[in-house]
Amino acid sequence: MNAIEALTQRVSVAQLTGPEPTAEQQRLMLTAALRAPDHAWLRPSRYLTVRGDARETLGRVFLESSDNWQGLAEDKKNKLLNMPMRAPLIIVAVCRITEHQKVPRDEQLLSTGAGVQNILNAAFALGLGAIWRTGDLAVNPKVAEALGLDECEEIVGFIYVGQINSSLKPLPELNIDDFVTDWTAKTS
Ligand SMILES: Cc1cc2nc3c(=O)[nH]c(=O)nc-3n(C[C@H](O)[C@H](O)[C@H](O)COP(=O)(O)O)c2cc1C
């Protein structure tokens, strides 16, 4: 698949299965992530890979970080425990926010977001499925602590990656003209 095909045809894939992407595929996705634009070369982004048994540990973290988890119904507990088992590989995208005169916090987060998009596109180009997920757990301080994040670090996404286990959803039919305007300044 060439780059334009991947960029224009990528869809998120929620139904994922093993085997885990190969070491080379993981290296390529993370190399793509590191090519995200980065104002002032702050290098705000870092990535954690969670695979194998570590996913069970992450499920435990998800459960035990949730409010009043001991009182949750069994099905809710199991849902949290099994969340990381939805894919053979989870890449946690982390942004390290630093004070900078010219690069505000939002730009640093956008840079990590661009890194995530590169992972999604690279995964698709490699024939893998991937989906960017966040939710309450991405902003839960206990999850951040368990993952070893510093105070100044934020989770930008949990990227679930694996083999595609369903037919790809159709591309939405979007009309470019609804989103793009050829602007010219009005002259009076
Ligand atoms: C920052 C961000 C967070 C997201 N979080 C979730 C999520 O927690 N759960 C989910 O099902 N989809 C989430 N999505 C949406 C999916 O990643 C995906 O974009 C959506 O299903 C549309 O599919 P598409 O990428 O094929 O257009 C999120 C997207 C973004 C950009």
Side-chain angles (χ1 to χ4, degrees):
M1 184 183 299
N2 70 34
I4 292 297
E5 282 170 349
L7 291 170
T8 56
Q9 292 169 24
R10 181 207 64 82
V11 285
S12 298
V13 181
Q15 302 295 320
L16 299 165
T17 188
E20 184 187 320
T22 64
E24 177 61 4
Q25 287 172 327
Q26 294 185 40
R27 192 187 66 77
L28 287 169
M29 289 187 283
L30 292 162
T31 302
L34 298 185
R35 282 308 309 130
D38 171 9
H39 193 175
W41 279 16
L42 290 184
R43 303 291 182 238
S45 310
R46 69 184 182 98
Y47 300 90
L48 309 172
T49 53
V50 183
R51 58 169 81 95
D53 293 347
R55 294 173 303 155
E56 280 165 34
T57 312
L58 183 60
R60 199 86 222 154
V61 167
F62 283 173
L63 173 64
E64 292 176 10
S65 300
S66 299
D67 287 341
N68 305 317
W69 68 272
Q70 274 142 326
L72 290 176
E74 278 311 300
D75 60 334
K76 293 231 166 76
K77 281 187 185 168
N78 284 332
K79 190 175 173 199
L80 287 159
L81 283 173
N82 288 320
M83 266 184 186
M85 308 312 285
R86 293 178 292 185
L89 171 68
I90 300 152
I91 301 173
V92 188
V94 176
C95 184
R96 186 176 186 85
I97 313 280
T98 48
E99 283 285 326
H100 191 279
Q101 237 182 346
K102 284 195 185 153
V103 189
R105 174 180 182 278
D106 286 356
E107 288 192 7
Q108 297 174 42
L109 290 165
L110 286 167
S111 180
T112 306
V116 171
Q117 185 64 32
N118 277 3
I119 292 175
L120 296 177
N121 284 325
F124 192 72
L126 290 164
L128 297 167
I131 184 165
W132 184 349
R133 295 183 187 274
T134 49
D136 293 345
L137 294 162
V139 289
N140 182 317
K142 289 182 193 157
V143 172
E145 192 187 343
L147 288 173
L149 270 60
D150 283 345
E151 286 281 309
C152 64
E153 291 183 318
E154 294 185 24
I155 294 171
V156 171
F158 298 102
I159 320 307
Y160 287 72
V161 190
Q163 313 301 323
I164 297 168
N165 198 24
S166 62
S167 48
L168 290 181
K169 62 184 183 188
L171 286 174
E173 288 186 25
L174 299 176
N175 184 346
I176 290 179
D177 294 339
D178 293 338
F179 299 90
V180 181
T181 308
D182 190 20
W183 181 84
T184 46
K186 284 199 177 102
T187 52
S188 51

